[in-house]
Amino acid sequence: MRVTFTVNGRVHKADDVWEGESLLYVLRERLGLPGSKNACEQGECGSCTVRLDDVPVCACLVAAGQAEGREVVTVEGLAERSGAPGGRLSPVQQAFVDAGAVQCGFCTPGLLVATDELLERHPDPSDADIREALSGNLCRCTGYEKILDAVRLAAARGGETARGGEAARP
């Protein structure tokens, strides 16, 4: 089957997609977007988190055909989505770097996508809000404190995940 969907603002077509093929496989292997990581293939770790019609999902659990006619945002699309000028990181990505929340990098794409969605929805989250929003994302390197610091830093900088690079408003 052919699947036509929008990824990071661009329309893509994937041909000869078989019924059991995951959205993660199509993104990584057919579209050349390796940012979303393939770790558990069971929706347990969150490293493959993308936004499907603005809702965070584990791309390993979504059949590619379910993306037909829909919009997907991957970690590769965060900078452009935020309005960051050519080649620069999105404000959320920069906060993760500045807070030292990136170590091996395997969980980072999913955490970034989940954080982007959280701050767009809730620009001034409490620690409980942050923990809940990131509860589906596992990290084995950081101990989470630096990740929480990064989310707090991004929020303190104004959320800045709103489209067009403007600070998000409550």
Side-chain angles (χ1 to χ4, degrees):
M1 83 173 120
R2 170 181 276 179
V3 179
T4 304
F5 56 112
T6 303
V7 180
N8 300 329
R10 294 175 187 83
V11 175
H12 289 273
K13 294 178 183 175
D15 290 319
D16 299 321
V17 174
W18 61 280
E19 290 178 13
E21 202 164 317
S22 71
L23 176 59
L24 177 61
Y25 182 86
V26 170
L27 292 170
R28 290 179 57 81
E29 305 301 330
R30 293 178 179 264
L31 301 184
L33 296 169
S36 303
K37 301 302 182 215
N38 184 5
C40 74
E41 294 185 355
Q42 298 177 4
E44 296 288 331
C45 70
S47 67
C48 66
T49 301
V50 298
R51 290 176 74 172
L52 181 61
D53 291 339
D54 283 329
V55 176
V57 299
C58 290
C60 72
L61 297 180
V62 176
Q66 291 177 285
E68 175 66 36
R70 298 174 77 181
E71 182 178 344
V72 175
V73 176
T74 69
V75 68
E76 290 94 344
L78 293 183
E80 186 173 317
R81 179 180 172 85
S82 73
R88 299 195 60 183
L89 298 174
S90 76
V92 168
Q93 291 168 315
Q94 189 61 56
F96 268 67
V97 171
D98 294 346
V102 178
Q103 287 192 15
C104 83
F106 224 75
C107 66
T108 306
L111 286 163
L112 289 167
V113 171
T115 298
D116 181 71
E117 188 277 336
L118 167 66
L119 294 181
E120 188 173 290
R121 178 175 41 86
H122 194 329
D124 188 23
S126 67
D127 281 358
D129 295 328
I130 296 168
R131 289 176 191 276
E132 176 65 25
L134 302 184
S135 65
N137 299 82
L138 301 179
C139 176
R140 293 186 173 153
C141 298
T142 66
Y144 294 98
E145 195 55 43
K146 291 192 180 284
I147 293 167
L148 296 174
D149 290 345
V151 178
R152 290 182 201 115
L153 178 60
R157 289 178 175 170
E160 300 181 27
T161 59
R163 290 180 181 92
E166 297 175 15
R169 291 180 175 67

